[in-house]
Amino acid sequence: MHRSIRAFLLFGSLILSELATGSAHADTCLPLKLLDQIQMVPENNGIRLMLPVTMNGVAEHMLFDTGTSISSVTRALTQELGLSAHPSLHAVLYDIDGDASYDVTSIADFKFGQQEIRNAEFQIWPGADLRTADPHLAGIFTHDQLRQYDIDVDFAHGVLKLFSPDHCKGDVLYWKPAAVAEGEFDTRHGHINVEVTLDGQRFNGYIDSGAVHSLLSADSARRLFGLTHGSPETKQAGMAQNNPQDLVYPHRFAKLEFDGVVVNNPDIAILPNIIGRSADRSQQSTGNRAIPRNTPAVVSQLIIGMDILRKLHIYIAFREGRLYIAEVPANSLSSK
């Protein structure tokens, strides 16, 4: 059935509107088909979600990260599994310090859930090895491996579901939420981009399950809101990458809106513009990113992180270019 959906969400209170039933789709329209369901492993009180995978028969875990554009593995893992590396012809991967990796590797037998990929290619993570910091972490898994599906993520419970994209347009609300927000997105530069409005200012943002906190670039904070580091409204809370020269400042805004979702009084960290500082790039960015060769970095002004996402259930229809977003009921979280 086609649904005309109007709703918006506020954390702490949920304002609902009715889901009105419209006209039926054509007879050729297919029903929603579940292909796979994967229980991810929550870490740090659910602020990080680890995807169980198998690489050449070896069980590993990868961080489920919608904020980067290319999946990657650690260099330590390639050595442990005896994988060879060769230069990438298509992309270069930068970490938060601006360190770059031009190398890729291939895994002959890569599995997640019931899905199997032969000769799966992964970028090799640059800079300080992630596996050294977290021995359980084999790499970063993102949506470049998932765009042939619709993906459904219950962030609150760590459940990833894969659906066939061949279904009735918009007929995806199988979990029957009390209210749902619906909006458009695109995948320019490899991100799940949405239009955001923060305290009345409208600009670009993206969904990033690899970010613990929601982040705003220092340039955007200064240009759009007149906020500068060290002012009474932005008191220091920490350091980026433990560097005392790169201070992170939180600020409580009044309202954040994206695709029908409304978050009241969000605390957003203002991050210094450090990405690409040590790399040969014409611009700087604000996250862990892989970009095509010969393409300048793109500054995304707001990153929507797990402090917000962990309360949501999001259905991502890549073919439709639409998001369907519902708040996870509080009683569901308490009973987990």
Side-chain angles (χ1 to χ4, degrees):
M1 304 293 291
H2 175 70
R3 294 175 173 86
S4 174
I5 303 167
R6 296 167 53 205
F8 61 94
L9 310 171
L10 293 86
F11 297 142
S13 63
L14 177 62
I15 296 181
L16 308 178
S17 62
E18 297 296 326
L19 279 66
T21 301
S23 59
H25 284 274
D27 293 338
T28 56
C29 181
L30 297 174
L32 193 64
K33 181 180 180 181
L34 177 65
L35 301 177
D36 209 342
Q37 177 172 324
I38 305 166
Q39 178 63 58
M40 294 185 282
V41 180
E43 290 189 351
N44 300 339
N45 295 319
I47 209 71
R48 296 204 317 170
L49 296 176
M50 307 296 288
L51 181 74
V53 302
T54 302
M55 301 178 177
N56 292 346
V58 178
E60 298 284 357
H61 287 87
M62 303 181 76
L63 177 65
F64 181 71
D65 182 358
T66 61
T68 187
S69 59
I70 297 180
S71 296
S72 61
V73 295
T74 68
R75 197 169 297 275
L77 179 85
T78 65
Q79 296 168 352
E80 292 169 17
L81 298 183
L83 305 175
S84 60
H86 57 274
S88 170
L89 300 177
H90 308 293
V92 54
L93 180 65
Y94 292 91
D95 68 8
I96 197 167
D97 291 321
D99 295 320
S101 171
Y102 299 84
D103 295 334
V104 296
T105 191
S106 180
I107 298 175
D109 185 16
F110 178 77
K111 297 177 182 177
F112 62 101
Q114 301 301 311
Q115 311 306 303
E116 182 173 3
I117 304 175
R118 305 294 297 179
N119 300 316
E121 187 172 274
F122 291 89
Q123 201 87 9
I124 297 177
W125 188 260
D129 202 277
L130 293 175
R131 202 165 177 86
T132 301
D134 184 350
H136 303 292
L137 186 61
I140 307 295
F141 187 90
T142 191
H143 49 87
D144 63 333
Q145 304 285 352
L146 297 170
R147 290 181 191 168
Q148 67 270 38
Y149 311 102
D150 280 5
I151 67 173
D152 175 74
V153 190
D154 181 347
F155 287 101
H157 298 101
V159 177
L160 171 65
K161 294 181 181 180
L162 310 180
F163 287 89
S164 168
D166 299 316
H167 56 73
C168 306
K169 185 176 181 180
D171 194 10
V172 300
L173 303 177
Y174 68 92
W175 72 100
K176 297 180 171 43
V180 65
E182 177 182 344
E184 297 180 347
F185 75 97
D186 64 64
T187 56
R188 288 170 300 148
H189 312 295
H191 304 308
I192 299 176
N193 302 294
V194 295
E195 184 178 87
V196 303
T197 302
L198 184 63
D199 285 4
Q201 297 287 343
R202 185 176 299 177
F203 49 93
N204 179 61
Y206 60 82
I207 308 295
D208 188 350
S209 64
V212 173
H213 303 289
S214 295
L215 305 169
L216 181 68
S217 70
D219 283 348
S220 298
R222 182 177 59 255
R223 185 177 69 255
L224 298 175
F225 304 101
L227 297 173
T228 58
H229 287 174
S231 66
E233 299 87 0
T234 55
K235 297 182 179 180
Q236 178 187 347
M239 297 177 290
Q241 299 300 94
N242 296 316
N243 187 339
Q245 294 182 349
D246 295 324
L247 303 179
V248 176
Y249 297 80
H251 180 74
R252 175 161 291 182
F253 291 86
K255 184 188 294 185
L256 167 65
E257 302 171 75
F258 65 96
D259 278 357
V261 176
V262 179
V263 184
N264 285 324
N265 303 314
D267 290 313
I268 296 178
I270 298 174
L271 188 71
N273 304 301
I274 59 177
I275 304 303
R277 178 179 296 165
S278 62
D280 181 16
R281 301 167 77 182
S282 61
Q283 298 184 49
Q284 296 180 346
S285 184
T286 52
N288 300 325
R289 305 293 162 250
I291 61 172
R293 286 182 181 271
N294 303 320
T295 300
V298 177
V299 176
S300 185
Q301 296 167 311
L302 182 70
I303 293 173
I304 302 168
M306 283 294 287
D307 53 338
I308 293 174
L309 298 176
R310 66 188 301 187
K311 304 172 186 178
L312 299 178
H313 185 151
I314 303 181
Y315 189 104
I316 305 172
F318 285 106
R319 185 180 295 178
E320 293 181 12
R322 299 197 72 79
L323 299 175
Y324 303 85
I325 308 173
E327 188 175 24
V328 176
N331 59 356
S332 171
L333 293 175
S334 61
S335 62
K336 182 181 174 183

